[in-house]
Amino acid sequence: MAPIIVSIASLPASAQGSSASNVGRVYDRVAPMNETVERRVIPALASLADRIGREGRAMQVAGKPGFNPDDKFLPGKIAIGMAYPLLDAPRGSREFSRRLADYRRIAALTAGDVNETWGIYYYLLALYKLKQAGLLDRAVSSETLAILRQKLDWRSFVRQPDLTLIDLPNNFYGVAFSAARLRFLLGWEDEAGAKALLAKTLDHYRTYSGEYGFADETNGDGRFDRYSVLLIGEIAQRFIETGLTPPAEVKRWLRRSVDLLIPRMNLSGAGFEYGRSIGAYGDTAPLEVLSVAAYLTLLTPLEEQMAYAYGARISARLMDFWYDPGMRSANLWRGGRATDTYRGEHRVLGENLSLFRQLIYTNALWNQLGYRGRQAAPGFARWLATLPRATTTWFARGAYDRALVTIRDGDHVIGLPLISGAEGYHRKNAYFPAPFSIGMLDATPDQTWPSLVPRIIFADGTPLMPLTFFKDIAVKTVGATTIVTLRQDALDDVSGEAPRADKRARVTTRFVFTPGRLVREDYIQQDRPGTVEVEFGTRSVRPVISDGTVRFGQGTVRSFKADGYGSCTVRPVADDAAYHSVTGAMQTAVRCSRKGAAGRYTLRWQVDYR
């Protein structure tokens, strides 16, 4: 997508302030990013650091153990989280002396704890920052440092000598490079490891991103999610924070991520709505990518202003929506919210520390660009209105097609990910080829119920779904109507951990996006009889079924109608954990099912929304 150019002079300020909803505020105006970070983020982080130093292993966060051994990154996150308040404290002050003593004591306390991959990187980064400040020897004893030098090693998760990852997704190549580079800067090893890992990282990125420049999280299976967009931003940031200049190839890939993100900006500061590690981390991912892109001058002047306006809203959203003052913690898990098992509540202390760090380092980049204390551009809302209604981002084309279609409709940003969850995630509905929109069509992490995608169950018990094997994806927009078509010559057998093609059923699918309406049509041919079913979960309430349509008396979704699926039932699900989404509990679920014979038939659903 070419850069979007609009004169800032033509974009007047909104006359309204922020409005709130159960999925976050709409920020017509927002505080400067640095104000949010200095007045809200840093004090919250300093409070955590104080408690860590004072309470140690007895510390609890929101009623949960802070020092949970199941959080394999925690020692590193504690190290970097405590480093920021220490480095900010005035030298010679009582606060400085206290924080220095706390750091030294906690480093010794946790030196022998399990600390893997990301934790290794975070710890090394903390030590490097302390070294740059001339504080390393005072903040960490020689005995503790000797232990850390041995333990904080990228070789613990990278095989020798072929430099392959040990049972990890491919985004960890960037973690390994970062760890090796930081060890070199600390004087713990020569530069050979970092150079070799950088070459491996870029070679993998080159191999599995193909012509479109987005990293497949797998070795070619098509998992293009939040990480596929974020990874190159993380790699570029690792160059910056260790004093290197990213090569031109990295900058080109980073610009591709920018082009994907620009059409997805919004007044709420919301980010990715599909895949894994979304929720709060789905929101901060665009902030990380756009901040480093701005720092590397990859944005036009107008794009830079709009990226800052969006980033200021992301920072505000983290503290307004995700941070719960009553819990004194980020809340990714309670009040109907859900996240992946990977980011379960056992990691509550670590998640707070890493989220705060993301806001602090991105704010520092913007401050270096001269945005400290600057108000966000007042014409952001008007600029958003100039963005294309429909944008298609290609990830891969060939044996199977992979793409993301982004639809803008008023305040709604709707994503249609046509990707593969691949092994471990293909049957999780956060990866389904269905429309997602934060607050309206939310993902339910780690759940497998057939959300807006048909599931066919044969008499032998085999469950099949059209999830993975996409061919001939085509997108056409005429006026306010966007039509997406694709076909699959086999359906995905979702009984196992990895996708498996079953040719006993085939499908051609058609999506139609018009203002206030979403439609999916599936033209299915199956070789044997079976049951077909679909579900729809929503925050809307007061459902009434009439003439095959479920109409809702209150909520963003006005109605849901399913044709070809047989009879539908409706039930309240607010207390059912299977219907807890990243932003909160769904209130109502509609389930439709019927038994059918072999042959050809058509399925259709329609969602109307406000």
Side-chain angles (χ1 to χ4, degrees), residues 31-53:
M33 186 187 299
N34 190 68
E35 182 177 313
T36 296
V37 171
E38 289 194 347
R39 295 186 181 182
R40 305 179 70 186
V41 176
I42 290 176
L45 176 59
S47 176
L48 278 179
D50 289 343
R51 295 187 58 210
I52 292 169

Side-chain angles (χ1 to χ4, degrees), residues 123-142:
Y123 216 132
L124 289 167
L125 180 62
L127 297 180
Y128 178 55
K129 286 182 176 293
L130 292 171
K131 180 182 178 180
Q132 286 181 304
L135 292 176
L136 181 56
D137 293 338
R138 297 175 64 186
V140 184
S141 71
S142 57

Side-chain angles (χ1 to χ4, degrees), residues 44-98:
L45 176 59
S47 176
L48 278 179
D50 289 343
R51 295 187 58 210
I52 292 169
R54 185 172 61 249
E55 302 170 28
R57 295 194 190 279
M59 178 186 184
Q60 292 206 339
V61 181
K64 298 289 183 179
F67 284 68
N68 191 317
D70 292 333
D71 186 346
K72 308 302 184 184
F73 310 151
L74 184 59
K77 290 185 176 183
I78 289 174
I80 191 65
M82 294 186 72
Y84 284 113
L86 171 59
L87 294 171
D88 283 344
R91 298 289 178 96
S93 66
R94 290 184 179 180
E95 179 191 359
F96 176 78
S97 298
R98 174 176 56 80

Side-chain angles (χ1 to χ4, degrees), residues 157-488:
F157 59 98
V158 179
R159 296 184 184 90
Q160 303 291 303
D162 61 352
L163 299 182
T164 56
L165 294 169
I166 301 173
D167 300 326
L168 291 168
N170 289 317
N171 64 299
F172 281 84
Y173 274 120
V175 181
F177 157 66
S178 304
R181 173 72 180 163
L182 288 164
R183 284 179 63 87
F184 164 69
L185 292 173
L186 286 166
W188 290 0
E189 64 179 70
D190 63 27
E191 204 172 1
K195 288 183 175 179
L197 284 164
L198 174 59
K200 187 77 172 181
T201 300
L202 297 183
D203 181 64
H204 173 84
Y205 203 103
R206 197 177 296 116
T207 299
Y208 292 106
S209 66
E211 64 178 302
Y212 298 106
F214 296 94
D216 187 344
E217 253 220 303
T218 64
N219 291 329
D221 292 332
R223 187 193 293 156
F224 294 96
D225 55 15
R226 160 188 172 270
Y227 285 103
S228 303
V229 181
L230 173 61
L231 177 58
I232 197 61
E234 292 180 338
I235 292 172
Q237 172 61 14
R238 301 302 93 85
F239 278 92
I240 293 169
E241 69 190 7
T242 59
L244 295 175
T245 300
E249 191 172 32
V250 169
K251 292 180 180 180
R252 286 198 300 272
W253 290 329
L254 182 56
R255 179 65 219 197
R256 298 285 182 88
S257 288
V258 170
D259 291 340
L260 179 148
L261 291 171
I262 285 177
R264 316 189 103 243
M265 293 184 187
N266 56 82
L267 289 170
S268 298
F272 282 91
E273 69 280 8
Y274 67 92
R276 66 187 179 95
S277 287
I278 47 177
Y281 286 91
D283 292 347
T284 59
L287 175 64
E288 293 190 84
V289 171
L290 293 168
S291 299
V292 70
Y295 184 85
L296 294 172
T297 66
L298 300 182
L299 309 182
T300 68
L302 179 61
E303 287 173 341
E304 182 179 298
Q305 293 179 56
M306 299 302 107
Y308 173 74
Y310 180 39
R313 287 165 167 84
I314 294 172
S315 300
R317 177 177 170 84
L318 187 101
M319 299 308 294
D320 288 334
F321 182 71
W322 293 111
Y323 187 78
D324 185 330
M327 293 172 60
R328 291 197 294 171
S329 168
N331 177 18
L332 283 63
W333 313 276
R334 300 183 187 178
R337 297 179 184 182
T339 189
D340 317 78
T341 302
Y342 173 74
R343 295 197 186 278
E345 199 170 6
H346 66 281
R347 287 174 51 169
V348 59
L349 175 56
E351 299 306 338
N352 278 275
L353 294 170
S354 57
L355 286 167
F356 289 154
R357 176 191 166 269
Q358 288 176 358
L359 266 60
I360 289 170
Y361 96 75
T362 51
N363 178 61
L365 293 174
W366 287 104
N367 285 348
Q368 291 179 65
L369 290 171
Y371 282 83
R372 181 187 296 272
R374 188 185 297 188
Q375 292 288 339
F380 184 57
R382 281 291 303 275
W383 179 79
L384 291 177
T386 71
L387 295 174
R389 174 174 171 80
T391 306
T392 303
T393 303
W394 289 99
F395 299 131
R397 300 176 92 167
Y400 299 113
D401 292 349
R402 312 292 182 198
L404 170 66
V405 180
T406 299
I407 303 293
R408 303 186 66 88
D409 186 8
D411 290 334
H412 300 295
V413 176
I414 303 167
L416 174 63
L418 301 173
I419 57 177
S420 173
E423 185 172 359
Y425 290 95
H426 71 117
R427 57 187 177 181
K428 305 289 179 68
N429 65 34
Y431 279 91
F432 281 7
F436 293 91
S437 183
I438 292 173
M440 179 173 70
L441 303 167
D442 285 303
T444 52
D446 289 342
Q447 300 301 323
T448 60
W449 49 272
S451 175
L452 293 178
V453 176
R455 179 164 61 193
I456 300 168
I457 303 175
F458 286 151
D460 63 5
T462 304
L464 303 181
M465 299 185 73
L467 300 179
T468 303
F469 307 109
F470 311 122
K471 296 184 177 182
D472 298 333
I473 294 174
V475 183
K476 183 178 181 180
T477 299
V478 178
T481 299
T482 297
I483 298 174
V484 181
T485 57
L486 57 97
R487 67 181 177 88
Q488 298 180 68

